[in-house]
Amino acid sequence: MSFDQQQGFSTKAIHVGSSPDPTTGATIPPVYLTSTYTQAAPGQHKGYEYSRSNNPTRQGLEDCLAALEGGAEAACFASGLQATTTIVQSLLASGQSIVAYGDMYGGTYRLFERVFKPWGLTVHYTDENSPEAFAKLVDETTRLVWLETPTNPMLRLLDIQAIGQAVKDRAARLGTSLSFAVDNTFASPVLQQPLSLGADIVVHSTTKYIGGHSDLIGGAVICKTSQQMEPIRFTQNAAGGVPGAFDCFLMHRGIKTLALRMEAHSKNAQCVAKWAAGQDKLERVIYPGLDSHPDYDLCTRQMASPGGMVSIVVPGGFDGATSFMSSTQVFSCAESLGGVESLCNHPAIMTHASIPLERREELGVVDGLVRLSVGVEDVDDLIADLDQALAAVPSAKTAAR
Ligand SMILES: *Cc1c(COP(=O)(O)O)cnc(C)c1O
């Protein structure tokens, strides 16, 4: 089936890069588990030579992801962090700098601080989400501006269009140019498409919503233009870090139900957040779909729906969080997010353990914070589970100090 820009999201998700096999008619193309390709004579091949450089199963997935994000091309990687690593290696050299929003995935922070700083890169962080705060940090050495929205785990939203405009204007005044990258893992292209809002590059941990079934690790980079993809494609081949064909097949299969799943995640999360907001025992509920959220208006403008992540603060700090998380039965206490099954995570100990304590507290990642990845189970079961787990937490007054 040929790719038509005008087609809807799910039509593209189901058909782009997944044409019937011309040899056998197999409706779902075979998984190309091959490292190499037989040539008729030296240099006479059919476009594939070696699977680090290209593989038909990976190619189908990349075509599909590019179509869904509205980009010219996509490049897939063995993990989300490998996707980020490849962007930094491709676009920056020693002495240059990155401007980033402080509330970010802990592994990305660790990568910037412990892998790239020793290579001579500088990273400037802002804890303010205004466009001016980003623009102020851009100087002659800035080559990359990096943000996630919604952020992890505080679920703040950043205005992609306004921040992109501000940092590009600032770079133009300095006579330099930079790339503006958005990690779209938490939203997925169903809820927002950063390239249409002025981003140059979109990054995904496809481990999360794109894969959607907690059965693989993967990453992707999508660029607005083929020219922007050129250095990244070069590094993909030159440095490797590519996913195997079977993982590509699983990612591509997951994508076919992405729109259905995101709708269900958002619907369930909205119900969970509403329940949580009615619990006096909770110290805080954070969900961009509640009108109590500081970025609620931006959410209604920028996102098709608020997504599947809800953060709560239980009373009693670390002990409260521990008793809550050991009492849930439908929600599994596990790292990661974005699968069909509901998970709960304790950022201070689990995903954000690589961030120093002082920095964590500045970001609001307190010991009672629990991050919920609301799955697509029946929502009544999810709420009943959270309700009984909350009942197991001593209330603030009686909690041990
Ligand atoms: C998980 C995650 C990553 C890292 O991806 P991996 O696939 O685990 O390497 C990056 N960004 C965000 C927002 C994530 O949630």
Side-chain angles (χ1 to χ4, degrees):
M1 178 160 174
S2 67
F3 166 39
D4 174 353
Q5 281 291 354
Q6 300 309 312
Q7 285 171 338
F9 188 93
S10 284
T11 309
K12 290 180 197 166
I14 291 165
H15 293 289
V16 177
S18 188
S19 310
D21 176 44
T23 312
T24 61
T27 305
I28 300 303
V31 181
Y32 288 87
L33 291 164
T34 186
S35 57
T36 190
Y37 303 82
T38 300
Q39 308 192 2
Q44 273 182 43
H45 54 76
K46 300 178 180 280
Y48 298 94
E49 295 164 81
Y50 186 62
S51 281
R52 173 165 28 73
S53 316
N54 203 356
N55 170 284
T57 309
R58 194 177 93 210
Q59 180 74 58
L61 170 67
E62 290 176 344
D63 290 348
C64 188
L65 280 167
L68 297 185
E69 286 285 4
E73 288 184 44
C76 288
F77 295 92
S79 71
L81 283 172
Q82 184 60 39
T84 305
T85 297
T86 303
I87 293 170
V88 176
Q89 287 175 332
S90 305
L91 303 183
L92 285 97
S94 171
Q96 296 180 332
S97 68
I98 300 172
V99 169
Y101 188 63
D103 183 16
M104 60 162 69
Y105 178 68
T108 306
Y109 182 77
R110 180 176 56 197
L111 178 69
F112 287 173
E113 290 294 301
R114 307 227 353 234
V115 177
F116 287 117
K117 274 196 175 170
W119 281 20
L121 299 187
T122 308
V123 189
H124 301 291
Y125 301 95
T126 169
D127 289 341
E128 275 177 62
N129 65 358
S130 70
E132 299 73 37
F134 277 84
K136 241 192 298 179
L137 293 177
V138 171
D139 64 24
E140 291 82 357
T141 65
T142 309
R143 292 293 172 275
L144 181 65
V145 173
W146 183 274
L147 61 84
E148 296 170 23
T149 177
T151 65
N152 177 18
M154 301 308 290
L155 306 176
R156 288 304 302 263
L157 265 64
L158 292 111
D159 188 328
I160 298 171
Q161 193 154 30
I163 292 168
Q165 190 71 50
V167 297
K168 296 243 161 164
D169 285 353
R170 169 92 180 128
R173 277 199 301 279
L174 294 168
T176 59
S177 72
L178 53 78
S179 297
F180 175 35
V182 175
D183 180 333
N184 204 24
T185 299
F186 268 43
S188 91
V190 179
L191 304 188
Q192 74 193 9
Q193 293 167 2
L195 299 180
S196 73
L197 299 171
D200 303 302
I201 300 173
V202 165
V203 187
H204 279 283
S205 167
T206 56
T207 310
K208 316 295 168 55
Y209 285 110
I210 288 189
H213 296 76
S214 306
D215 52 9
L216 62 90
I217 300 286
V221 177
I222 300 102
C223 291
K224 179 112 185 163
T225 67
S226 294
Q227 194 190 349
Q228 287 161 334
M229 181 57 87
E230 235 167 74
I232 292 162
R233 184 74 71 198
F234 173 80
T235 309
Q236 183 193 35
N237 181 44
V242 294
F246 195 75
D247 279 353
C248 290
F249 164 76
L250 287 175
M251 286 179 230
H252 203 156
R253 176 165 135 147
I255 285 172
K256 296 183 186 194
T257 55
L258 184 59
L260 290 173
R261 286 187 283 109
M262 290 316 294
E263 194 186 329
H265 282 296
S266 271
K267 207 164 142 222
N268 280 0
Q270 187 78 46
C271 293
V272 164
K274 193 170 159 223
W275 165 83
Q279 306 302 308
D280 290 340
K281 203 169 173 183
L282 289 174
E283 290 177 2
R284 199 171 164 195
V285 179
I286 309 170
Y287 184 63
L290 292 177
D291 59 12
S292 60
H293 190 283
D295 304 316
Y296 175 76
D297 288 338
L298 177 58
C299 181
T300 56
R301 271 189 286 130
Q302 184 165 273
M303 300 180 74
S305 67
M309 303 301 295
V310 179
S311 289
I312 56 176
V313 177
V314 301
F318 176 70
D319 292 341
T322 302
S323 52
F324 180 80
M325 293 180 65
S326 30
S327 304
T328 57
Q329 280 160 15
V330 182
F331 280 80
S332 302
C333 168
E335 308 254 3
S336 202
L337 61 110
V340 289
E341 54 284 294
S342 292
L343 303 180
C344 59
N345 173 281
H346 188 258
I349 294 194
M350 298 166 72
T351 45
H352 286 59
S354 54
I355 297 184
L357 175 68
E358 201 180 301
R359 176 83 194 122
R360 228 190 314 120
E361 286 179 344
E362 274 170 19
L363 294 170
V365 184
V366 295
D367 286 347
L369 186 78
V370 175
R371 191 192 73 185
L372 305 173
S373 173
V374 180
V376 302
E377 300 95 336
D378 295 285
V379 73
D380 291 346
D381 296 332
L382 298 181
I383 289 174
D385 190 39
L386 295 172
D387 204 58
Q388 63 81 25
L390 187 58
V393 179
S395 56
K397 287 181 205 77
T398 58
R401 301 216 115 219

